[in-house]
Amino acid sequence: MKNKIQFVIGLLLTLMLLLTAIPMGVMAETQEKSDVQIPIVAEDNVQLSEEAVSVSTDAMTTPLCLYRTHVQNEGWQDWKSNGDMSGTSGKGLRLEGIEIKLDQQGYDVGVSYSTHVQNIGWQGSKADGVTSGTFGQGLRLEAIRVNLTGSDAELFDIYYQVHAQNYGWLDWAKNGAEAGTQGLGLRLEGINILVFPKGSVAPGATTTPYVSVDAFLNNIKGDWCNQSLNVAGPHLKIREPNVESGLLWLGMKWHEYRYRIVSISRDGKSGTIEAYKWNYYKPYTTSSGSTAFQKVEMDVNPPDRYVYNFNANTLIESKQIGSSNRVIVYTRN
């Protein structure tokens, strides 16, 4: 009996040892496999270690944009970056020149830029710290375009925002779009510039970075009718952009006005023009009995004003006659 008990105890001990040894062996094998470094293979079949992958994605950061402006009465300011304003605010001083460059942070990327200058128009593109605009000539910057260059340019977006006379800070433009004003004779006073990874959320609103006379005139051009008249229209015709005149036709008389822009809303959907020159074509009968017209030039003083409202689709004329003010409402023909 004693021998049987000893046999059973020995058998149980043997089984316990076997059960303990099997998972330890498996664990040892698993640990051995985990110590093996598995290489990472790139798309072009080049093997990269985990350290190399970490370096390629983390060692470089977004390029840093540096910029400075030449300001009326102050000259060149210090370099700014990270969206800090270059220029002035609340002083009424014009920007006259600008230089922009990048701290590339290891990327193949550069920057090009062009400015719209008073009495000159759009200048050719400058790049990587070269002056765009003028200094010492007293000419204002009115608009700017900025773009990234180089093989890595597609990895980033460059945003820029300008402070324009009468409008304050306009919305953000990016990647070569115009920022500022056109045709209004207004100065730029300040600018911010930022570089972000491609597709990042914009730093602010992007709806109206640019206020354009041409866009406004495209909205108001065409034929307008005074519904209170019994004479067939159109009674007022606004010509194509860049032609600074309107035509007003009443009966057998032609009136040609030269007008100028007084103000435009940011979105170009409302604004005011004023007619300051009047060419009246007076009909007369020639010796042969035919009708001809004699041009009579006159100043309009005070100028007639026309206020455009896109939403109401109206053009309201305000004309001073003696001590009274005549108002005419025109609608689209």
Side-chain angles (χ1 to χ4, degrees):
M1 183 67 177
K2 183 178 179 179
N3 290 336
K4 288 183 178 181
I5 293 173
Q6 290 177 344
F7 174 78
V8 171
I9 292 173
L11 182 61
L12 290 173
L13 289 173
T14 301
L15 290 173
M16 290 177 64
L17 289 173
L18 288 173
L19 291 173
T20 304
I22 290 174
M24 288 179 64
V26 172
M27 289 176 62
E29 182 179 358
T30 303
Q31 180 65 38
E32 182 180 357
K33 289 182 179 180
S34 67
D35 290 338
V36 177
Q37 185 173 13
I38 301 175
I40 298 174
V41 182
E43 290 184 359
D44 57 1
N45 209 32
V46 176
Q47 291 187 347
L48 301 174
S49 69
E50 290 180 351
E51 290 182 357
V53 172
S54 176
V55 168
S56 67
T57 56
D58 297 334
M60 295 184 291
T61 59
T62 302
L64 180 67
C65 188
L66 305 167
Y67 46 96
R68 67 172 184 163
T69 54
H70 190 278
V71 179
Q72 174 188 359
N73 298 339
E74 296 186 2
W76 286 106
Q77 292 190 334
D78 294 335
W79 290 93
K80 301 295 177 61
S81 63
N82 289 329
D84 291 336
M85 183 186 73
S86 182
T88 63
S89 177
K91 294 184 177 181
L93 301 178
R94 63 180 173 266
L95 298 187
E96 298 177 346
I98 188 169
E99 296 174 351
I100 308 173
K101 61 184 180 180
L102 293 182
D103 181 349
Q104 298 170 305
Q105 298 292 322
Y107 290 98
D108 179 19
V109 62
V111 61
S112 65
Y113 41 97
S114 176
T115 54
H116 190 282
V117 181
Q118 174 188 359
N119 299 337
I120 296 176
W122 284 105
Q123 292 187 325
S125 291
K126 302 297 191 296
D128 302 323
V130 176
T131 300
S132 181
T134 64
F135 54 92
Q137 299 183 40
L139 301 178
R140 63 180 174 266
L141 299 187
E142 298 179 352
I144 189 170
R145 297 187 289 234
V146 186
N147 218 339
L148 296 175
T149 61
S151 62
D152 290 330
E154 63 184 15
L155 301 177
F156 306 99
D157 292 318
I158 187 163
Y159 282 90
Y160 40 101
Q161 180 190 36
V162 298
H163 189 282
Q165 177 186 356
N166 295 348
Y167 289 99
W169 287 108
L170 296 174
D171 292 343
W172 291 85
K174 74 170 183 177
N175 299 344
E178 290 89 356
T181 67
Q182 174 263 327
L184 295 170
L186 301 179
R187 63 181 174 267
L188 297 187
E189 298 177 352
I191 187 169
N192 301 326
I193 309 177
L194 284 166
V195 177
F196 289 126
K198 176 67 72 175
S200 298
V201 176
T206 59
T207 305
T208 53
Y210 188 60
V211 181
S212 168
V213 164
D214 286 353
F216 172 70
L217 293 181
N218 272 320
N219 280 332
I220 69 171
K221 72 179 181 181
D223 298 341
W224 296 84
C225 288
N226 178 357
Q227 300 298 331
S228 65
L229 295 178
N230 294 322
V231 181
H235 308 116
L236 179 70
K237 181 184 290 289
I238 304 294
R239 292 181 179 175
E240 296 287 333
N242 301 320
V243 181
E244 294 182 320
S245 64
L247 289 177
L248 175 64
W249 180 80
L250 292 173
M252 292 297 294
K253 301 176 183 178
W254 285 90
H255 302 260
E256 184 179 59
Y257 289 90
R258 290 186 64 81
Y259 60 76
R260 56 193 169 215
I261 304 296
V262 176
S263 63
I264 301 175
S265 65
R266 289 187 179 218
D267 60 7
K269 292 185 176 181
S270 62
T272 301
I273 62 176
E274 62 180 17
Y276 64 98
K277 286 285 186 182
W278 176 31
N279 295 332
Y280 166 49
Y281 292 85
K282 181 180 179 180
Y284 67 94
T285 303
T286 66
S287 58
S288 62
S290 62
T291 300
F293 295 88
Q294 178 184 1
K295 182 178 179 180
V296 180
E297 296 183 343
M298 300 177 62
D299 289 332
V300 182
N301 190 21
D304 297 342
R305 288 211 164 190
Y306 297 83
V307 178
Y308 170 66
N309 187 311
F310 176 86
N311 293 326
N313 196 29
T314 58
L315 191 66
I316 301 176
E317 177 187 354
S318 177
K319 186 179 184 69
Q320 191 72 31
I321 302 176
S323 59
S324 62
N325 186 47
R326 186 187 71 180
V327 176
I328 299 175
V329 179
Y330 295 93
T331 57
R332 292 281 187 187
N333 186 26

